[in-house]
Amino acid sequence: MTATALGKLREKVREGAEERPGVYRWYGADGRVLYVGKSVSLRSRLLSYFRERTGKAARIVAKAADVSWECKPNEFAALVGEMRLIRTWQPEYNVQHRRDRSYGFVKVTKESAPRLLPVESIANDGAAYYGPFPRTAWLARAVGELALATGLRNCPARTSIHFDDQLEIFSDTKIPRCIRAETRSCLGPCAGRCTGAEYRRGVRLAQAFLGARSQRPLGELAEAARRAARRLDFEYAARLHERIETLRRLQGYLAGFRGQIEKLNLVYPVSGFAGDSRLYLIRRGVLAAELPAPRSAPARDRARKAVRELFQPVAADRDGTLDGDAAAEALLTVAWFNRHPQEWERAQTPRQWLERG
């Protein structure tokens, strides 16, 4: 960037940016968003970029052709706004929020014979996702154990499926395609060893386990371990106990996160810049609605109606599934309240807010 262009950008910030919370975007010469940021004081933060001579800020300014900003009423709104913009634009200089590499999810694929897969991100592909979980390397082993416990396949997507209740056309459809099918640790949909209904029951069992609605896989493993011990096969019994602990840990992570999310059904009033106070309706960790702080009886009635409608339970609340954007925002909300525990004193459950209204 030339000195003249740099000076024009600096002057734009000096003349237009205010000392208030907000989000900002730096643009490259081709119009692409280079970087998204937030600040509780936009003007000071943006001007600081022009003083940097090294580091990321200096590199951003060197490539920038323009900058824009949007004021927010408070820091919480700026934080959520920043995350949503980053996930929308995927700027090259942003790292946080762009990739959810520190977390993993369990994916139940949408296929004729669904598989359980450990994944690092969520796609809009009709599959069901559970999580998030830390330590994705450990997660792969846990997902494999759940597939073993429920008999679900973990073979490639291209594997041909021939359920027992399908019309058999080719004579080799009864040949197992892997060692799991051969040893019957998989239901064997590749070799016609189960019907479609039988396989779907296995899928429902896995999803019930992930949704904390069933402990059956743990019970069956425990019984298998007892049988192994009775026949003095202690090595196999020990391996089964390890599998049990792995699955308990998997379910424990889900229960812990689900418990945190359930606490984040909140009506959250926040004082804003220059009296611009807001009422944030947070549903399962996601900022679902933003209202001006009600200051009159009609405004209060409108807010009460919005709260009642928004916090009606839906099926997805019970089965534990979620999408990627919701998971990322819920994690962000959890982090916000963990960093600012005093904010819990302002937040109320929907019932508390309605009763005190």
Side-chain angles (χ1 to χ4, degrees):
M1 178 186 293
T2 66
T4 301
L6 185 65
K8 287 182 179 179
L9 271 186
R10 186 189 293 114
E11 196 58 31
K12 176 181 178 179
V13 171
R14 281 178 175 163
E15 291 182 357
E18 300 178 64
E19 297 288 10
R20 59 175 295 175
V23 294
Y24 56 88
R25 284 175 277 192
W26 290 96
Y27 301 89
D30 57 1
R32 288 186 303 164
V33 178
L34 296 174
Y35 183 75
V36 170
K38 64 162 176 42
S39 178
V40 294
S41 183
L42 274 174
R43 188 174 186 275
S44 294
R45 179 67 185 115
L46 286 171
L47 287 175
S48 72
Y49 278 82
F50 299 100
R51 296 192 293 270
E52 297 294 333
R53 294 293 177 266
T54 60
K56 184 169 75 172
R59 294 195 300 273
I60 290 171
V61 172
K63 290 187 67 173
D66 200 4
V67 62
S68 69
W69 56 87
E70 178 185 354
C71 294
K72 297 290 184 180
N74 52 66
E75 184 182 0
F76 177 70
L79 181 70
V80 175
E82 178 198 34
M83 188 209 70
R84 290 180 175 179
L85 286 174
I86 290 171
R87 292 184 68 85
T88 297
W89 295 104
Q90 301 286 290
E92 63 177 287
Y93 281 96
N94 285 101
V95 176
Q96 189 179 18
H97 308 310
R98 189 175 69 180
R99 297 184 182 92
D100 302 316
R101 292 297 176 87
S102 59
Y103 292 94
F105 301 86
V106 178
K107 176 179 180 177
V108 183
T109 63
K110 188 177 182 180
E111 300 172 287
S112 60
R115 296 170 296 150
L116 300 178
L117 300 176
V119 297
E120 292 184 339
S121 61
I122 293 180
N124 186 20
D125 56 3
Y129 292 86
Y130 297 83
F133 300 91
R135 297 185 181 181
T136 55
W138 166 84
L139 181 61
R141 181 164 62 88
V143 170
E145 297 289 10
L146 184 57
L148 282 170
T150 54
L152 300 186
R153 69 187 184 107
N154 55 1
C155 51
R158 64 179 180 273
T159 303
S160 298
I161 299 301
H162 301 282
F163 291 116
D164 189 46
D165 49 352
Q166 288 180 248
L167 177 64
E168 186 174 335
I169 300 175
F170 302 104
S171 59
D172 66 345
T173 56
K174 297 294 185 181
I175 300 173
R177 301 297 198 273
C178 72
I179 189 64
R180 281 195 60 205
E182 191 75 58
T183 58
R184 298 187 182 274
S185 63
C186 171
L187 289 168
C190 64
R193 288 188 169 172
C194 65
T195 65
E198 287 169 341
Y199 195 87
R200 287 191 293 273
R201 279 198 293 273
V203 174
R204 288 196 297 271
L205 175 59
Q207 291 189 285
F209 179 81
L210 291 168
R213 301 190 308 278
S214 174
Q215 300 296 315
R216 183 176 150 192
L218 294 177
E220 291 179 351
L221 286 172
E223 178 57 32
R226 286 191 289 271
R227 289 196 302 268
R230 284 196 295 269
R231 63 177 183 265
L232 305 182
D233 191 350
F234 298 117
E235 184 177 349
Y236 182 56
R239 288 202 302 271
L240 289 173
H241 282 298
E242 288 177 3
R243 291 172 63 185
I244 290 170
E245 289 307 309
T246 297
L247 291 182
R248 281 179 176 161
R249 187 179 176 191
L250 180 75
Q251 203 173 55
Y253 274 130
L254 273 173
F257 181 70
R258 199 156 33 233
Q260 284 187 301
I261 293 303
E262 293 304 329
K263 291 179 184 177
L264 292 173
N265 279 336
L266 300 172
V267 179
Y268 180 35
V270 182
S271 301
F273 182 85
D276 185 12
S277 299
R278 301 295 177 98
L279 194 67
Y280 295 107
L281 308 188
I282 301 172
R283 192 179 193 286
R284 295 173 61 79
V286 175
L287 177 55
E290 177 181 347
L291 308 171
R295 303 182 189 279
S296 65
R300 187 78 174 180
D301 288 341
R302 289 192 295 272
R304 290 170 66 86
K305 180 181 178 182
V307 169
R308 289 194 187 97
E309 291 177 351
L310 182 66
F311 292 100
Q312 289 292 324
V314 296
D317 296 350
R318 296 188 294 273
D319 66 16
T321 58
L322 74 169
D323 63 44
D325 288 346
E329 192 160 318
L331 289 167
L332 186 78
T333 305
V334 168
W336 167 262
F337 282 103
N338 285 343
R339 287 197 306 270
H340 305 280
Q342 71 279 4
E343 293 302 295
W344 282 112
E345 298 177 10
R346 286 203 250 173
Q348 302 172 57
T349 67
R351 177 179 291 182
Q352 287 173 336
W353 188 85
L354 289 168
E355 288 175 350
R356 294 173 184 176

Short mmCIF file of all heavy atoms in Angstrom, two decimals, residues 16-72:
data_model
loop_
_atom_site.label_atom_id
_atom_site.label_comp_id
_atom_site.label_asym_id
_atom_site.label_seq_id
_atom_site.Cartn_x
_atom_site.Cartn_y
_atom_site.Cartn_z
N GLY A 16 -14.36 8.72 11.14
CA GLY A 16 -15.63 8.01 11.24
C GLY A 16 -15.80 7.05 12.39
O GLY A 16 -16.92 6.83 12.85
N ALA A 17 -14.72 6.46 12.87
CA ALA A 17 -14.85 5.44 13.92
C ALA A 17 -15.06 6.08 15.28
O ALA A 17 -14.52 7.14 15.57
CB ALA A 17 -13.61 4.55 13.94
N GLU A 18 -15.86 5.43 16.10
CA GLU A 18 -16.15 5.93 17.45
C GLU A 18 -15.48 5.05 18.49
O GLU A 18 -15.13 3.90 18.23
CB GLU A 18 -17.67 5.92 17.69
CG GLU A 18 -18.47 6.77 16.74
CD GLU A 18 -19.95 6.66 17.03
OE1 GLU A 18 -20.38 7.09 18.14
OE2 GLU A 18 -20.69 6.13 16.19
N GLU A 19 -15.35 5.63 19.67
CA GLU A 19 -14.81 4.88 20.81
C GLU A 19 -15.95 4.11 21.46
O GLU A 19 -16.47 4.47 22.52
CB GLU A 19 -14.13 5.81 21.81
CG GLU A 19 -12.94 6.55 21.28
CD GLU A 19 -11.71 5.65 21.09
OE1 GLU A 19 -11.86 4.41 21.20
OE2 GLU A 19 -10.62 6.17 20.83
N ARG A 20 -16.37 3.02 20.80
CA ARG A 20 -17.46 2.19 21.31
C ARG A 20 -17.28 0.77 20.80
O ARG A 20 -16.50 0.53 19.88
CB ARG A 20 -18.81 2.77 20.89
CG ARG A 20 -19.01 2.89 19.39
CD ARG A 20 -20.42 3.36 19.07
NE ARG A 20 -21.41 2.36 19.48
CZ ARG A 20 -22.73 2.55 19.40
NH1 ARG A 20 -23.21 3.69 18.94
NH2 ARG A 20 -23.56 1.61 19.79
N PRO A 21 -17.98 -0.20 21.37
CA PRO A 21 -17.81 -1.58 20.92
C PRO A 21 -18.25 -1.78 19.47
O PRO A 21 -19.12 -1.06 18.96
CB PRO A 21 -18.72 -2.38 21.87
CG PRO A 21 -18.92 -1.49 23.05
CD PRO A 21 -18.90 -0.09 22.52
N GLY A 22 -17.63 -2.76 18.82
CA GLY A 22 -18.02 -3.06 17.45
C GLY A 22 -17.15 -4.11 16.81
O GLY A 22 -16.22 -4.65 17.43
N VAL A 23 -17.45 -4.42 15.57
CA VAL A 23 -16.66 -5.35 14.76
C VAL A 23 -16.15 -4.61 13.53
O VAL A 23 -16.75 -3.63 13.09
CB VAL A 23 -17.49 -6.58 14.34
CG1 VAL A 23 -17.86 -7.41 15.55
CG2 VAL A 23 -18.75 -6.17 13.58
N TYR A 24 -15.04 -5.09 12.97
CA TYR A 24 -14.47 -4.42 11.81
C TYR A 24 -13.95 -5.44 10.82
O TYR A 24 -13.70 -6.60 11.16
CB TYR A 24 -13.35 -3.46 12.23
CG TYR A 24 -12.24 -4.09 13.02
CD1 TYR A 24 -11.13 -4.67 12.39
CD2 TYR A 24 -12.29 -4.13 14.42
CE1 TYR A 24 -10.11 -5.24 13.12
CE2 TYR A 24 -11.28 -4.72 15.16
CZ TYR A 24 -10.19 -5.27 14.50
OH TYR A 24 -9.18 -5.87 15.22
N ARG A 25 -13.80 -4.99 9.56
CA ARG A 25 -13.31 -5.86 8.49
C ARG A 25 -12.26 -5.11 7.67
O ARG A 25 -12.48 -3.97 7.28
CB ARG A 25 -14.46 -6.28 7.57
CG ARG A 25 -15.36 -7.34 8.14
CD ARG A 25 -16.54 -7.63 7.23
NE ARG A 25 -17.61 -6.67 7.45
CZ ARG A 25 -18.85 -6.80 6.97
NH1 ARG A 25 -19.15 -7.84 6.21
NH2 ARG A 25 -19.76 -5.91 7.22
N TRP A 26 -11.14 -5.78 7.42
CA TRP A 26 -10.13 -5.28 6.50
C TRP A 26 -10.32 -6.01 5.16
O TRP A 26 -10.52 -7.22 5.13
CB TRP A 26 -8.73 -5.55 7.03
CG TRP A 26 -8.35 -4.73 8.23
CD1 TRP A 26 -8.43 -5.10 9.54
CD2 TRP A 26 -7.83 -3.40 8.22
NE1 TRP A 26 -7.99 -4.09 10.36
CE2 TRP A 26 -7.60 -3.03 9.56
CE3 TRP A 26 -7.51 -2.49 7.21
CZ2 TRP A 26 -7.09 -1.79 9.93
CZ3 TRP A 26 -6.99 -1.26 7.57
CH2 TRP A 26 -6.79 -0.92 8.91
N TYR A 27 -10.25 -5.25 4.07
CA TYR A 27 -10.47 -5.81 2.73
C TYR A 27 -9.19 -5.70 1.89
O TYR A 27 -8.45 -4.72 1.98
CB TYR A 27 -11.57 -5.05 1.99
CG TYR A 27 -12.91 -5.05 2.68
CD1 TYR A 27 -13.22 -4.06 3.60
CD2 TYR A 27 -13.86 -6.03 2.40
CE1 TYR A 27 -14.45 -4.05 4.24
CE2 TYR A 27 -15.09 -6.02 3.03
CZ TYR A 27 -15.39 -5.02 3.95
OH TYR A 27 -16.60 -5.01 4.58
N GLY A 28 -8.98 -6.71 1.04
CA GLY A 28 -7.88 -6.66 0.09
C GLY A 28 -8.27 -5.89 -1.17
O GLY A 28 -9.43 -5.45 -1.32
N ALA A 29 -7.31 -5.73 -2.08
CA ALA A 29 -7.57 -4.98 -3.31
C ALA A 29 -8.65 -5.61 -4.17
O ALA A 29 -9.33 -4.93 -4.94
CB ALA A 29 -6.26 -4.84 -4.10
N ASP A 30 -8.82 -6.94 -4.04
CA ASP A 30 -9.84 -7.63 -4.83
C ASP A 30 -11.20 -7.66 -4.15
O ASP A 30 -12.13 -8.29 -4.64
CB ASP A 30 -9.39 -9.06 -5.13
CG ASP A 30 -9.09 -9.85 -3.86
OD1 ASP A 30 -9.25 -9.29 -2.75
OD2 ASP A 30 -8.69 -11.03 -3.97
N GLY A 31 -11.32 -6.97 -3.02
CA GLY A 31 -12.60 -6.90 -2.31
C GLY A 31 -12.83 -8.01 -1.31
O GLY A 31 -13.82 -7.99 -0.58
N ARG A 32 -11.92 -8.99 -1.27
CA ARG A 32 -12.08 -10.08 -0.31
C ARG A 32 -11.79 -9.60 1.10
O ARG A 32 -10.94 -8.73 1.31
CB ARG A 32 -11.16 -11.24 -0.65
CG ARG A 32 -11.58 -12.04 -1.89
CD ARG A 32 -10.69 -13.25 -2.03
NE ARG A 32 -9.28 -12.87 -2.10
CZ ARG A 32 -8.28 -13.71 -1.93
NH1 ARG A 32 -8.52 -14.98 -1.64
NH2 ARG A 32 -7.03 -13.29 -2.04
N VAL A 33 -12.48 -10.21 2.07
CA VAL A 33 -12.24 -9.88 3.47
C VAL A 33 -10.94 -10.55 3.91
O VAL A 33 -10.79 -11.77 3.83
CB VAL A 33 -13.40 -10.34 4.37
CG1 VAL A 33 -13.10 -10.04 5.83
CG2 VAL A 33 -14.70 -9.68 3.95
N LEU A 34 -9.99 -9.72 4.36
CA LEU A 34 -8.71 -10.25 4.83
C LEU A 34 -8.76 -10.66 6.29
O LEU A 34 -8.17 -11.66 6.69
CB LEU A 34 -7.61 -9.19 4.68
CG LEU A 34 -7.24 -8.72 3.28
CD1 LEU A 34 -6.25 -7.57 3.38
CD2 LEU A 34 -6.65 -9.87 2.48
N TYR A 35 -9.48 -9.87 7.08
CA TYR A 35 -9.48 -10.09 8.52
C TYR A 35 -10.73 -9.48 9.13
O TYR A 35 -11.18 -8.41 8.72
CB TYR A 35 -8.23 -9.46 9.15
CG TYR A 35 -8.10 -9.71 10.64
CD1 TYR A 35 -7.70 -10.95 11.12
CD2 TYR A 35 -8.38 -8.71 11.55
CE1 TYR A 35 -7.58 -11.19 12.48
CE2 TYR A 35 -8.27 -8.93 12.92
CZ TYR A 35 -7.87 -10.17 13.38
OH TYR A 35 -7.75 -10.40 14.73
N VAL A 36 -11.28 -10.18 10.12
CA VAL A 36 -12.40 -9.67 10.92
C VAL A 36 -11.94 -9.60 12.37
O VAL A 36 -11.29 -10.53 12.87
CB VAL A 36 -13.62 -10.60 10.80
CG1 VAL A 36 -14.69 -10.21 11.81
CG2 VAL A 36 -14.20 -10.57 9.39
N GLY A 37 -12.26 -8.50 13.02
CA GLY A 37 -11.90 -8.35 14.43
C GLY A 37 -13.00 -7.67 15.20
O GLY A 37 -14.00 -7.22 14.64
N LYS A 38 -12.82 -7.58 16.50
CA LYS A 38 -13.78 -6.91 17.38
C LYS A 38 -13.00 -6.06 18.38
O LYS A 38 -11.80 -6.26 18.60
CB LYS A 38 -14.63 -7.92 18.13
CG LYS A 38 -13.82 -8.79 19.07
CD LYS A 38 -14.69 -9.46 20.10
CE LYS A 38 -13.90 -10.40 21.00
NZ LYS A 38 -12.60 -9.92 21.45
N SER A 39 -13.68 -5.13 18.99
CA SER A 39 -13.05 -4.32 20.03
C SER A 39 -14.13 -3.65 20.86
O SER A 39 -15.23 -3.39 20.37
CB SER A 39 -12.14 -3.25 19.40
OG SER A 39 -11.56 -2.44 20.41
N VAL A 40 -13.79 -3.37 22.10
CA VAL A 40 -14.71 -2.58 22.93
C VAL A 40 -14.53 -1.10 22.64
O VAL A 40 -15.33 -0.28 23.08
CB VAL A 40 -14.47 -2.86 24.43
CG1 VAL A 40 -14.84 -4.29 24.78
CG2 VAL A 40 -13.03 -2.55 24.84
N SER A 41 -13.48 -0.76 21.90
CA SER A 41 -13.24 0.63 21.51
C SER A 41 -12.72 0.65 20.07
O SER A 41 -11.52 0.57 19.82
CB SER A 41 -12.22 1.27 22.45
OG SER A 41 -12.01 2.63 22.13
N LEU A 42 -13.63 0.74 19.13
CA LEU A 42 -13.29 0.60 17.72
C LEU A 42 -12.21 1.57 17.26
O LEU A 42 -11.25 1.18 16.60
CB LEU A 42 -14.55 0.81 16.87
CG LEU A 42 -15.45 -0.40 16.63
CD1 LEU A 42 -16.71 0.04 15.91
CD2 LEU A 42 -14.72 -1.47 15.84
N ARG A 43 -12.38 2.83 17.55
CA ARG A 43 -11.47 3.84 17.01
C ARG A 43 -10.03 3.59 17.46
O ARG A 43 -9.11 3.57 16.63
CB ARG A 43 -11.92 5.23 17.44
CG ARG A 43 -11.14 6.36 16.77
CD ARG A 43 -11.75 7.71 17.13
NE ARG A 43 -11.12 8.79 16.39
CZ ARG A 43 -10.01 9.41 16.77
NH1 ARG A 43 -9.39 9.04 17.90
NH2 ARG A 43 -9.50 10.38 16.03
N SER A 44 -9.84 3.35 18.75
CA SER A 44 -8.49 3.12 19.26
C SER A 44 -7.89 1.85 18.66
O SER A 44 -6.70 1.82 18.29
CB SER A 44 -8.50 3.01 20.78
OG SER A 44 -8.86 4.24 21.37
N ARG A 45 -8.71 0.81 18.55
CA ARG A 45 -8.19 -0.45 18.02
C ARG A 45 -7.78 -0.31 16.57
O ARG A 45 -6.70 -0.77 16.15
CB ARG A 45 -9.25 -1.56 18.15
CG ARG A 45 -8.78 -2.90 17.59
CD ARG A 45 -7.66 -3.46 18.43
NE ARG A 45 -7.12 -4.69 17.85
CZ ARG A 45 -5.89 -4.81 17.38
NH1 ARG A 45 -5.05 -3.77 17.41
NH2 ARG A 45 -5.47 -5.96 16.89
N LEU A 46 -8.60 0.31 15.75
CA LEU A 46 -8.28 0.44 14.33
C LEU A 46 -7.07 1.34 14.11
O LEU A 46 -6.21 1.06 13.28
CB LEU A 46 -9.49 0.98 13.58
CG LEU A 46 -10.63 -0.03 13.38
CD1 LEU A 46 -11.87 0.66 12.83
CD2 LEU A 46 -10.20 -1.16 12.46
N LEU A 47 -6.97 2.43 14.87
CA LEU A 47 -5.81 3.31 14.72
C LEU A 47 -4.51 2.62 15.13
O LEU A 47 -3.44 2.93 14.61
CB LEU A 47 -6.01 4.58 15.54
CG LEU A 47 -7.04 5.58 14.98
CD1 LEU A 47 -7.24 6.74 15.94
CD2 LEU A 47 -6.60 6.09 13.60
N SER A 48 -4.62 1.64 16.05
CA SER A 48 -3.41 0.95 16.49
C SER A 48 -2.78 0.15 15.35
O SER A 48 -1.57 -0.09 15.36
CB SER A 48 -3.73 0.01 17.66
OG SER A 48 -4.48 -1.13 17.24
N TYR A 49 -3.58 -0.27 14.37
CA TYR A 49 -3.03 -1.01 13.23
C TYR A 49 -2.01 -0.17 12.46
O TYR A 49 -1.03 -0.71 11.93
CB TYR A 49 -4.15 -1.44 12.28
CG TYR A 49 -4.87 -2.69 12.70
CD1 TYR A 49 -5.89 -2.65 13.64
CD2 TYR A 49 -4.53 -3.93 12.16
CE1 TYR A 49 -6.56 -3.79 14.03
CE2 TYR A 49 -5.20 -5.09 12.54
CZ TYR A 49 -6.21 -5.01 13.48
OH TYR A 49 -6.87 -6.15 13.86
N PHE A 50 -2.23 1.12 12.36
CA PHE A 50 -1.35 1.98 11.56
C PHE A 50 -0.02 2.27 12.26
O PHE A 50 0.90 2.78 11.64
CB PHE A 50 -2.07 3.28 11.24
CG PHE A 50 -3.33 3.08 10.43
CD1 PHE A 50 -4.57 3.09 11.04
CD2 PHE A 50 -3.26 2.86 9.06
CE1 PHE A 50 -5.73 2.89 10.30
CE2 PHE A 50 -4.41 2.66 8.32
CZ PHE A 50 -5.65 2.68 8.94
N ARG A 51 0.06 1.94 13.56
CA ARG A 51 1.31 2.15 14.29
C ARG A 51 2.20 0.93 14.28
O ARG A 51 3.37 1.00 14.64
CB ARG A 51 1.00 2.55 15.74
CG ARG A 51 0.28 3.88 15.88
CD ARG A 51 0.25 4.35 17.32
NE ARG A 51 -0.57 3.48 18.16
CZ ARG A 51 -1.87 3.66 18.37
NH1 ARG A 51 -2.52 4.68 17.78
NH2 ARG A 51 -2.55 2.85 19.15
N GLU A 52 1.65 -0.21 13.88
CA GLU A 52 2.43 -1.45 13.88
C GLU A 52 3.41 -1.48 12.71
O GLU A 52 3.08 -1.09 11.60
CB GLU A 52 1.50 -2.66 13.80
CG GLU A 52 0.55 -2.81 14.99
CD GLU A 52 1.28 -3.11 16.29
OE1 GLU A 52 2.38 -3.70 16.22
OE2 GLU A 52 0.76 -2.74 17.36
N ARG A 53 4.60 -1.97 12.98
CA ARG A 53 5.62 -2.10 11.93
C ARG A 53 5.95 -3.56 11.64
O ARG A 53 6.52 -3.86 10.58
CB ARG A 53 6.89 -1.35 12.36
CG ARG A 53 6.70 0.16 12.47
CD ARG A 53 6.43 0.77 11.12
NE ARG A 53 6.18 2.20 11.20
CZ ARG A 53 4.97 2.76 11.27
NH1 ARG A 53 3.88 1.98 11.26
NH2 ARG A 53 4.81 4.06 11.34
N THR A 54 5.61 -4.45 12.57
CA THR A 54 5.86 -5.89 12.37
C THR A 54 4.64 -6.65 12.87
O THR A 54 3.74 -6.09 13.49
CB THR A 54 7.10 -6.36 13.15
OG1 THR A 54 6.91 -6.11 14.55
CG2 THR A 54 8.35 -5.63 12.67
N GLY A 55 4.63 -7.94 12.59
CA GLY A 55 3.56 -8.78 13.09
C GLY A 55 2.35 -8.82 12.17
O GLY A 55 2.34 -8.25 11.08
N LYS A 56 1.30 -9.52 12.63
CA LYS A 56 0.12 -9.75 11.79
C LYS A 56 -0.58 -8.45 11.44
O LYS A 56 -1.02 -8.26 10.30
CB LYS A 56 -0.85 -10.69 12.50
CG LYS A 56 -2.06 -11.05 11.64
CD LYS A 56 -2.86 -12.19 12.22
CE LYS A 56 -3.68 -11.75 13.41
NZ LYS A 56 -4.60 -12.82 13.87
N ALA A 57 -0.69 -7.53 12.40
CA ALA A 57 -1.38 -6.26 12.12
C ALA A 57 -0.70 -5.50 10.99
O ALA A 57 -1.37 -4.95 10.10
CB ALA A 57 -1.42 -5.41 13.39
N ALA A 58 0.63 -5.49 11.01
CA ALA A 58 1.36 -4.79 9.95
C ALA A 58 1.14 -5.47 8.60
O ALA A 58 1.01 -4.79 7.57
CB ALA A 58 2.85 -4.75 10.29
N ARG A 59 1.10 -6.79 8.60
CA ARG A 59 0.88 -7.51 7.33
C ARG A 59 -0.53 -7.25 6.79
O ARG A 59 -0.73 -7.13 5.57
CB ARG A 59 1.11 -9.01 7.54
CG ARG A 59 2.55 -9.38 7.86
CD ARG A 59 2.79 -10.87 7.71
NE ARG A 59 1.96 -11.67 8.59
CZ ARG A 59 2.27 -11.99 9.84
NH1 ARG A 59 3.42 -11.55 10.37
NH2 ARG A 59 1.47 -12.74 10.58
N ILE A 60 -1.51 -7.18 7.68
CA ILE A 60 -2.88 -6.90 7.24
C ILE A 60 -2.97 -5.53 6.60
O ILE A 60 -3.52 -5.36 5.50
CB ILE A 60 -3.85 -7.01 8.44
CG1 ILE A 60 -3.98 -8.46 8.89
CG2 ILE A 60 -5.23 -6.46 8.07
CD1 ILE A 60 -4.73 -8.65 10.19
N VAL A 61 -2.41 -4.52 7.25
CA VAL A 61 -2.47 -3.15 6.72
C VAL A 61 -1.73 -3.06 5.39
O VAL A 61 -2.17 -2.37 4.46
CB VAL A 61 -1.89 -2.15 7.74
CG1 VAL A 61 -1.76 -0.76 7.13
CG2 VAL A 61 -2.79 -2.10 8.97
N ALA A 62 -0.62 -3.79 5.26
CA ALA A 62 0.16 -3.75 4.01
C ALA A 62 -0.65 -4.28 2.83
O ALA A 62 -0.47 -3.82 1.70
CB ALA A 62 1.45 -4.55 4.18
N LYS A 63 -1.53 -5.23 3.07
CA LYS A 63 -2.33 -5.82 2.00
C LYS A 63 -3.70 -5.17 1.84
O LYS A 63 -4.41 -5.42 0.86
CB LYS A 63 -2.53 -7.32 2.25
CG LYS A 63 -1.27 -8.15 2.07
CD LYS A 63 -1.58 -9.63 2.16
CE LYS A 63 -2.42 -10.11 0.98
NZ LYS A 63 -2.57 -11.59 0.99
N ALA A 64 -4.10 -4.34 2.81
CA ALA A 64 -5.46 -3.81 2.83
C ALA A 64 -5.66 -2.69 1.83
O ALA A 64 -4.78 -1.87 1.58
CB ALA A 64 -5.81 -3.32 4.23
N ALA A 65 -6.87 -2.68 1.24
CA ALA A 65 -7.28 -1.59 0.37
C ALA A 65 -8.41 -0.79 0.99
O ALA A 65 -8.69 0.33 0.57
CB ALA A 65 -7.71 -2.13 -0.98
N ASP A 66 -9.07 -1.36 2.00
CA ASP A 66 -10.19 -0.67 2.63
C ASP A 66 -10.46 -1.29 3.99
O ASP A 66 -9.98 -2.39 4.31
CB ASP A 66 -11.45 -0.77 1.76
CG ASP A 66 -12.49 0.30 2.10
OD1 ASP A 66 -12.20 1.15 2.96
OD2 ASP A 66 -13.58 0.26 1.51
N VAL A 67 -11.24 -0.58 4.79
CA VAL A 67 -11.65 -1.07 6.09
C VAL A 67 -13.07 -0.57 6.35
O VAL A 67 -13.45 0.51 5.91
CB VAL A 67 -10.69 -0.57 7.20
CG1 VAL A 67 -10.68 0.95 7.30
CG2 VAL A 67 -11.03 -1.19 8.55
N SER A 68 -13.86 -1.40 7.02
CA SER A 68 -15.21 -0.99 7.42
C SER A 68 -15.46 -1.47 8.83
O SER A 68 -14.75 -2.35 9.34
CB SER A 68 -16.27 -1.56 6.47
OG SER A 68 -16.38 -2.96 6.62
N TRP A 69 -16.45 -0.89 9.47
CA TRP A 69 -16.76 -1.28 10.84
C TRP A 69 -18.25 -1.14 11.08
O TRP A 69 -18.97 -0.45 10.35
CB TRP A 69 -15.96 -0.46 11.83
CG TRP A 69 -16.15 1.02 11.67
CD1 TRP A 69 -17.10 1.81 12.23
CD2 TRP A 69 -15.34 1.89 10.87
NE1 TRP A 69 -16.96 3.11 11.84
CE2 TRP A 69 -15.88 3.18 11.00
CE3 TRP A 69 -14.22 1.69 10.06
CZ2 TRP A 69 -15.33 4.29 10.35
CZ3 TRP A 69 -13.68 2.78 9.41
CH2 TRP A 69 -14.22 4.07 9.55
N GLU A 70 -18.69 -1.80 12.12
CA GLU A 70 -20.09 -1.77 12.51
C GLU A 70 -20.15 -1.67 14.03
O GLU A 70 -19.57 -2.50 14.73
CB GLU A 70 -20.81 -3.04 12.04
CG GLU A 70 -22.27 -3.12 12.44
CD GLU A 70 -22.90 -4.45 12.06
OE1 GLU A 70 -22.23 -5.26 11.38
OE2 GLU A 70 -24.05 -4.69 12.47
N CYS A 71 -20.82 -0.68 14.54
CA CYS A 71 -20.93 -0.50 15.98
C CYS A 71 -21.90 -1.50 16.59
O CYS A 71 -22.90 -1.88 15.97
CB CYS A 71 -21.39 0.92 16.30
SG CYS A 71 -20.20 2.19 15.83
N LYS A 72 -21.58 -1.93 17.79
CA LYS A 72 -22.43 -2.84 18.55
C LYS A 72 -22.73 -2.22 19.91
O LYS A 72 -21.96 -1.40 20.41
CB LYS A 72 -21.74 -4.20 18.74
CG LYS A 72 -21.47 -4.95 17.44
CD LYS A 72 -22.75 -5.46 16.81
CE LYS A 72 -22.48 -6.28 15.57
NZ LYS A 72 -23.74 -6.77 14.94
#
